[in-house]
Amino acid sequence: MRENRNNDEIRKVIITNDYLMHPDGSVLIEMGNTKVICTAMVENKVPHFLKGSGRGWVTAEYSMLPGSTNSRKIRGVSKGKLDGRSMEIQRLIGRSMRSVVDLEKLGEHTIWIDCDVIQADGGTRTAAITGAYVAMIMAMKVLVEAGQIPEVPVKGYVAAISVGKVGDLILMDLQYSEDSSAIVDMNVIMTDQGQFIEIQGTGEERPFSKKELDEMLTLAEKGIRELIEMQRKIIEG
Amino acid sequence: MRENRNNDEIRKVIITNDYLMHPDGSVLIEMGNTKVICTAMVENKVPHFLKGSGRGWVTAEYSMLPGSTNSRKIRGVSKGKLDGRSMEIQRLIGRSMRSVVDLEKLGEHTIWIDCDVIQADGGTRTAAITGAYVAMIMAMKVLVEAGQIPEVPVKGYVAAISVGKVGDLILMDLQYSEDSSAIVDMNVIMTDQGQFIEIQGTGEERPFSKKELDEMLTLAEKGIRELIEMQRKIIEG
Amino acid sequence: MRENRNNDEIRKVIITNDYLMHPDGSVLIEMGNTKVICTAMVENKVPHFLKGSGRGWVTAEYSMLPGSTNSRKIRGVSKGKLDGRSMEIQRLIGRSMRSVVDLEKLGEHTIWIDCDVIQADGGTRTAAITGAYVAMIMAMKVLVEAGQIPEVPVKGYVAAISVGKVGDLILMDLQYSEDSSAIVDMNVIMTDQGQFIEIQGTGEERPFSKKELDEMLTLAEKGIRELIEMQRKIIEG
Amino acid sequence: MRENRNNDEIRKVIITNDYLMHPDGSVLIEMGNTKVICTAMVENKVPHFLKGSGRGWVTAEYSMLPGSTNSRKIRGVSKGKLDGRSMEIQRLIGRSMRSVVDLEKLGEHTIWIDCDVIQADGGTRTAAITGAYVAMIMAMKVLVEAGQIPEVPVKGYVAAISVGKVGDLILMDLQYSEDSSAIVDMNVIMTDQGQFIEIQGTGEERPFSKKELDEMLTLAEKGIRELIEMQRKIIEG
Amino acid sequence: MRENRNNDEIRKVIITNDYLMHPDGSVLIEMGNTKVICTAMVENKVPHFLKGSGRGWVTAEYSMLPGSTNSRKIRGVSKGKLDGRSMEIQRLIGRSMRSVVDLEKLGEHTIWIDCDVIQADGGTRTAAITGAYVAMIMAMKVLVEAGQIPEVPVKGYVAAISVGKVGDLILMDLQYSEDSSAIVDMNVIMTDQGQFIEIQGTGEERPFSKKELDEMLTLAEKGIRELIEMQRKIIEG
Amino acid sequence: MRENRNNDEIRKVIITNDYLMHPDGSVLIEMGNTKVICTAMVENKVPHFLKGSGRGWVTAEYSMLPGSTNSRKIRGVSKGKLDGRSMEIQRLIGRSMRSVVDLEKLGEHTIWIDCDVIQADGGTRTAAITGAYVAMIMAMKVLVEAGQIPEVPVKGYVAAISVGKVGDLILMDLQYSEDSSAIVDMNVIMTDQGQFIEIQGTGEERPFSKKELDEMLTLAEKGIRELIEMQRKIIEG
């Protein structure tokens, strides 16, 4: 049915660790033609509302390069504001990371996650989450090595995948040509325990049934387990 | 358990139709202490990307009055930009309305939906969707009466409710005191056919299981059926 | 001449006190079809230029809901800035309130006044001032009850009314249909002692004479005395 | 009482016509140490709301140079927005000019008035109005000479002066040291027929009585008559 | 003296052509550790001031990823405006490209050049110019192949290099550690004919003499000839 | 060849010192029809990055009045941002001033330089630099007189001139009619020792040769020596 892969198959994933020289954590994640640079940089202070609390913070920003899409993506700074879609996505990335971080144990540090899409072919937000997790852990390891925190303060792994209904088929990891004709589009973020951190499902062309939802969630779990396996290999070295 | 209502019960709902004199459609929706003014105003032109297409558009804006919350909510115009949460919500309202509108049949009109929260006590986005639907239909009726379109161009009803897990309990229609201590928070938008338009679930305090998801969705359906019944009474008069 | 009222008569005024649950002071003021929500919220700090001075501050913001006017009012945040008219009005409301407040006795508190127009039919700025005064006093009473200040720190009452010349007639409290055809438009803000806090008169269609000015001011005083009587009943309870 | 002048005396006024080489009309107006450059430039189109109406428009902008005041005035562009005071003033200048212009006879031209304060010592807004009138007439004369309009389309002269109450005295044309200690501050804009275009009076320190108002208006008329005499000499050449 | 290279030697340069799938032209240029993605995308319209002129336009934008520098670079959109340095650089890139393009022959197309710094280690603006030239030519070739223009409308090659004085030495192609301690810093942009398109020299620590200027320009010419040779190999490929 | 002056001659220069009453230093510099007000105001604090360093700062802003150019120059505040050209120029002015200031000896003061173009006829940036230097020195003298610093903390004089190639001629101090048809345009900033602080040369119409560069630099030096002589007369009184 699909070009080169089965309906329940994720695209070829390559996670290049230590991609840049300056950030504490940096990866290039490629899922098929989708390519996202994810970096994690530590700042030794926290937002105003956490000062003196002993707790840390993780925040994320997401952006697409102008040349990452087919028709040139106008920069946020040129429009004078972040577009709504990017804001939604960066809030989602931040929540996803924080959901597995023990902010108490992080101490009063802020981890800035930046996800910059170099090339977009569908699934940039889920690729960003999967890559950002690796970059974040690498930055935390630097903090541990520097003796600033005793251990990497996370409760588990987190990865994300998109699934959807295209025509009559439930498809894994939609590329752009599929995503743009999807009837239902769903992003699932999950832990290594198979539990949901966030699910967002939208009936793009028509509403969807409980049965369809269940099928999509089952498929998503399969993909996420595979992604977490890849994360584990890099992180555990 | 809860004050004054059962765990699976929605708060007292009052939808005051024709609330304001100027807009074509306007309602005040009250769900317990949450109060939202929803208006629908028609503009006889469409956004640039639809010009000449013969299709219409529905767009939504959401805002909270400074006095609607416990500590004063700073206006967007004072910060120079819309906050991320409001942007997410207004995009959600817009998508929800468009999902049941036949934009071809609407013709080249734009319906502006405005949801202004007068008083917030949890569930403002779902109240906004439920109220906005009524305001939108009323504005469409004005177009029909004016002979601009032959019939109200919608495929069905849409309403929304929040459900969540607080402690060990699955609760319907969370008020603020419940929402702020929820472990899982879920917003469900559904048609009168019991199908999903959008679901968004977030593990605020911990990830959640498939079983918890299923329980929340079942409860949400019950609430939405009740809300659609109220909408129907007003709309069918 | 006019529909339902004499030339020197104000519209039906309803001031609903304690309109919202969160702010310390909140009223809905209705003058005919003009409806404005006025809230007063106390912040336990003062602007930079007053820090350590022992003096308090009162500041105001004014806005119109998109659905409050006949053609949809675009939000300030969408245009990226406050429009000139709103800025003028909120500066006027702030000055009017401060003119009767003993800022020394208020101590280092800021009272935020918000006037949000729900429905506009002329005279929104004067209605806002009259309503804001009541909300402000209510918020001050909360401070007194909390033992933060010994007494309500005001020197007197303040209310406002618009008067104008329409055709050959001097009219009290112009509604929109009158205001838009007025030759001269005047806003008068006055104390319970019959003294002026601020007067602003503009020859919209032609300049105006000293005689016309005197007639308008006399009429305004009559209206303001009636409004202050209503304020007094609510405040003295 | 005052340094160098009587209480009912205006400061030394110098209006230098044709001050700059590029604008159609340009004057430097000096009232004592207050110095304002006023220019008028014609654009051969009108704002959107007047297109095709055959009517013209006059609009004004007002700004203070950073070095015009004692402590450096931060530029609007650095703050990202026009301050409220400047916005009020430029709206006032625009209204004042339009009040004496026959916009029908102006045809579809826009006259841009710019008032830039080079040095501020009180009364900048009234000086700006008095100077802007001369610049505007000069620009209109250029239009007449170019055969674009048959005659200068104005109904009369307009000038402005500030008056106020300082201590027990009613003073004409307040300089900064007086203005900053004024109890009542009033700006009056008047025609050569002695009629009001706009009056704005504010009780800065205390409310003011009808008697005080009358005294201030009488004094203002005297000053404005003198200013219009100076305008006339320049314009009639 | 320097690590791994002579004073008159440029760093290792790698230009990866056709780096991204969407833009018509795209290269990754690496000069040592400095890495910049340069893309060129064609739009079939021109800025307002060129409409109907038959002439085309080339414009450029420059940005640094947050993770490209040692301490995180805050995004322009977060600060609400482009920083002055980036604006200077993107204007320089645009001028440099336009200087060798025959805008008449380009016809009414706009070429958007985007230079996004992935990793910064000195010389990002000159690397951007050298890379942007290749991307631009590739995009022009696509226009030629599509039959939209008869030939690649350029007059010659353009490349850029930085040179500077560090201590007593004149150095070629400064990396960050050298650039930050430079006494004089100079950016030179040159054609394949050895003529200057733009020179910018700044005495960072002290003014510089004519003799020093001459030495730097001679060195720059050597580096630029080498870079143009590399461009030629790719383009004539 | 040129109207009224030789090719190597600067326009008539008038520097009016002490032009405004409020700033510590203020000059009006006129170079032919180009007129710029330059002011220098001292603030007793420094930017964040210098706090506690014992060092001072000099920063500059540049702007053109709307009426300074032939077609009205739209204000930065109206466009919501500073245009790229103004930003480049004000950064250049700031660097030029700082290059001759001993920031250690200045102590923790910031000198704000403002250059506001009243009338533009070419060479505004170089006139601004030449004028700003005088204003800055005057402000420093006030600091010395007030006993805040022991001596004027500068290392020498700085002035600037534009030179360029128009047709076959190398011209000094281009006025607008020349500048707009220049093939090469160069701004040179120099000390009284004849050394370069900054040079910026741009081939507007075609690249330029080393020989042309040398001729322009020689000419620039002549002009700058004359300007520094004028500065010296004013400063040394």
Side-chain angles (χ1 to χ4, degrees), chain E residues 105-125:
Chain E
K105 288 193 185 154
L106 178 56
E108 291 205 10
H109 302 97
T110 296
I111 300 183
W112 289 84
I113 303 289
D114 285 283
C115 299
D116 286 89
V117 179
I118 299 304
Q119 189 165 279
D121 189 33
T124 62
R125 88 185 64 186

Side-chain angles (χ1 to χ4, degrees), chain C residues 88 91 196 208 210 214, chain D residues 88 91 196 208 210 214:
Chain C
E88 264 184 43
R91 282 162 56 86
F196 301 112
F208 56 101
K210 182 64 168 59
D214 287 343
Chain D
E88 264 184 42
R91 283 162 55 87
F196 301 112
F208 56 101
K210 183 64 168 58
D214 288 343

